[in-house]
Amino acid sequence: MKGIIYKGIGGFYYVITDESKSVECKARGKFRKEHIVPMIGDEVEIEVKNGKGAIIEIYPRRSCLIRPAVANIDMMVVVAAAKNPAPSTAVIDRMLVNAEINGIEPMVCINKSDLADCAELVGIYKNAGYKAVCVSAANGDGTEELFSAVAGRVAAFAGVSGVGKSSLLTLITGNKLETGSVSDKISRGRHTTRHVELLRARGGGYVLDTPGFSSIDPETVAPEDMAWYFPEMRALSGGCRFRGCAHIGEPDCAVKRAVEAGKIAPSRYASYKELYEIQRSRKSWK
Ligand SMILES: Nc1nc2c(ncn2[C@@H]2O[C@H](COP(=O)(O)OP(=O)(O)OP(=O)(O)O)[C@@H](O)[C@H]2O)c(=O)[nH]1
Ligand SMILES: [Mg+2]
Ligand SMILES: [Zn+2]
């Protein structure tokens, strides 16, 4: 039987089969010997004998995120709030870059459109080449567009605490998830949502609540490759006078021209420069 691991607790893996049954499984000993650890999101072959489930095969992974450890995510929905908490383009941009570094299609979702206008913020991301939506979990505005974007896929929702990830996932899955007030969270200094679990979306596919990850794995990106992870800059590669142009101090730079012409948002260019500098200062590249 084929299925997907949607949850793991104390050495047990919970697999949802193609027939929509949940089966508690242990991993076969051969995985331990080969140092292969099943991950949430893994597509697996299972066998049920005497009422006991066993994972007998793990299919090749399309993607593999380390934090949180989840396989086969195909979409990363970076969630921010139009207001409360105030959006940070620096944080959004890092999460987008991280998704692409991990080979995961990114998209932007600005929630709480009932509290503040989010057209400008969404515009920045659409202009940069991302899919971007403006929604309100509170009144349902824009949620149809979000639902259809994630339908049939394995979509992780990332974003800082309080932006409304759990509220959106409650709408998408039809299950009530734990949400909390923003002030509670700030005073406790942590997320309400801790465990990692794939949840079935009503429109098909799976969704996943994650606190998000905003640090870049230093080993994975050389500073000169950073522009590749900014779609609007990637599109201009080749237009600069110098090969390997860092798009910072060089003359005759296509990226800087686009920034000056207002085609690249100042916040996006600022994020690029910051991430470029962080990677450049890392010891491993010196
Ligand atoms: N006005 C308004 N409030 C919202 C909206 N979406 C969520 N909220 C509220 O914002 C607060 C935080 O929402 P959560 O869904 O718990 O946020 P979260 O991103 O899951 O937060 P963590 O689990 O801490 O990471 C709750 O009080 C929600 O009721 C929205 O669209 N509009
Ligand atoms: Mg939550
Ligand atoms: Zn350049």
Side-chain angles (χ1 to χ4, degrees):
M1 254 188 305
K2 209 183 158 196
I4 293 179
I5 301 177
Y6 69 95
K7 185 166 79 171
I9 299 172
F12 283 101
Y13 299 94
Y14 295 82
V15 174
I16 187 148
T17 66
D18 286 350
E19 291 98 55
S20 295
K21 269 196 260 154
S22 173
V23 183
E24 184 183 86
C25 293
K26 280 267 188 195
R28 271 278 166 81
K30 71 166 184 178
F31 295 121
R32 220 169 310 122
K33 269 179 237 132
E34 294 167 15
H35 302 288
I36 297 168
V37 180
M39 292 172 82
I40 291 166
D42 267 331
E43 290 173 1
V44 294
E45 200 63 50
I46 64 167
E47 195 176 73
V48 182
K49 266 191 196 153
N50 309 323
K52 287 201 158 79
I55 294 170
I56 57 173
E57 192 168 337
I58 300 172
Y59 290 100
R61 293 167 179 155
R62 297 189 300 277
S63 69
C64 178
L65 207 59
I66 305 298
R67 244 169 327 189
V70 182
N72 299 323
I73 294 175
D74 2 77
M75 191 163 210
M76 177 75 62
V77 183
V78 175
V79 185
K83 190 182 165 181
N84 193 21
S88 157
T89 51
V91 171
I92 297 170
D93 293 342
R94 278 187 183 218
M95 290 183 181
L96 291 170
V97 165
N98 254 319
E100 287 207 63
I101 288 171
N102 286 285
I104 299 168
E105 183 188 325
M107 86 171 260
V108 176
C109 172
I110 309 299
N111 186 34
K112 308 201 187 186
S113 64
D114 56 296
L115 297 182
D117 185 46
C118 52
E120 191 186 331
L121 198 52
V122 162
I124 289 175
Y125 291 98
K126 281 191 170 161
N127 183 55
Y130 296 99
K131 184 177 284 175
V133 294
C134 187
V135 304
S136 168
N139 66 21
D141 278 356
T143 50
E144 284 309 316
E145 197 184 350
L146 174 66
F147 295 177
S148 64
V150 302
R153 324 208 40 197
V154 180
F157 281 61
V160 300
S161 187
V163 295
K165 299 177 298 296
S166 298
S167 304
L168 289 168
L169 292 178
T170 294
L171 296 176
I172 294 176
T173 61
N175 303 328
K176 181 93 190 76
L177 300 175
E178 191 191 354
T179 60
S181 80
V182 172
S183 56
D184 279 359
K185 287 170 193 174
I186 291 164
S187 58
R188 280 182 305 155
R190 63 173 165 79
H191 286 263
T192 310
T193 309
R194 268 146 289 154
H195 68 285
V196 180
E197 180 177 345
L198 292 189
L199 304 165
R200 265 247 155 113
R202 284 193 287 190
Y206 296 87
V207 289
L208 167 76
D209 198 337
T210 94
F213 50 133
S214 50
S215 75
I216 308 272
D217 182 349
E219 301 304 319
T220 53
V221 184
E224 56 270 27
D225 294 336
M226 191 54 78
W228 183 259
Y229 297 103
F230 285 75
E232 70 274 53
M233 299 185 195
R234 179 161 70 213
L236 295 173
S237 72
C240 303
R241 187 200 300 180
F242 297 109
R243 272 213 3 222
C245 180
H247 319 305
I248 291 177
E250 297 86 342
D252 201 8
C253 165
V255 169
K256 293 242 332 236
R257 268 201 305 274
V259 174
E260 277 150 25
K263 288 181 184 145
I264 291 178
S267 67
R268 295 280 299 161
Y269 185 58
S271 290
Y272 165 73
K273 278 203 295 194
E274 194 189 341
L275 292 179
Y276 177 88
E277 290 301 341
I278 288 171
Q279 290 304 88
R280 201 173 62 104
S281 65
R282 287 212 149 113
K283 258 213 222 80
S284 52
W285 299 106
K286 282 189 179 153

